[in-house]
Amino acid sequence: MVQRVSTGSPFEATFGYSRAVRHEDTVYVSGTTGYDYATMTMPDDVGQQAANALNTIDKALREAGSSIQDTVRVVYYVGDRNDVNAVVAAVGPVFGDIRPAASMLIVQMIEPGMKIEIEVTARIGAANS
């Protein structure tokens, strides 16, 4: 079984991808930026962008039958190494007890206002095992 999850982002249709794809008990969430879909804006603060990305990721995971607590792998793409401490402050409380395998890369973002992109892999039921 393959289930595709969309957040309705215009980027999904333009780029041709799903926000998340569930295959059996694994959910793969595409790189997610800090766009606030409620206000249709990108905040300037990297910590708020990280929080928005995690919120979008959790919504996609829940639609696929999982949640952020089932995360087993996370990759952070950060646009400026000076933002690392702010990113850690934003994501640490979310993943501190989950402790997924993780990587953080300093990269050039595709849009100037984007400061972080987060991608996760979750296994349904991982939080309970």
Side-chain angles (χ1 to χ4, degrees):
M1 170 193 92
V2 173
Q3 175 189 359
R4 288 176 177 74
V5 175
S6 173
T7 56
S9 165
F11 301 115
E12 294 170 23
T14 303
F15 283 71
Y17 70 95
S18 296
R19 173 64 51 209
V21 175
R22 175 181 173 176
H23 178 255
E24 297 178 358
D25 69 346
T26 304
V27 184
Y28 305 92
V29 181
S30 295
T32 304
T33 63
Y35 199 72
D36 182 342
Y37 291 103
T39 62
M40 300 305 282
T41 61
M42 178 73 73
D44 187 54
D45 179 71
V46 69
Q48 186 59 54
Q49 285 192 25
N52 288 351
L54 291 174
N55 185 41
T56 301
I57 288 166
D58 190 45
K59 285 180 182 176
L61 287 169
R62 288 181 185 283
E63 189 172 329
S66 187
S67 76
I68 201 102
Q69 285 78 26
D70 289 328
T71 301
V72 295
R73 177 98 172 110
V74 61
V75 181
Y76 305 100
Y77 302 94
V78 181
D80 184 336
R81 68 179 18 94
N82 295 314
D83 287 339
V84 168
N85 288 338
V87 169
V88 171
V91 303
V94 174
F95 289 117
D97 290 334
I98 302 166
R99 300 188 56 148
S103 298
M104 184 178 287
L105 304 161
I106 306 301
V107 302
Q108 184 173 353
M109 297 293 176
I110 62 171
E111 295 290 334
M114 293 176 178
K115 297 182 176 184
I116 185 164
E117 187 167 329
I118 303 172
E119 116 186 18
V120 306
T121 303
R123 297 285 308 270
I124 294 169
N128 299 322
S129 56

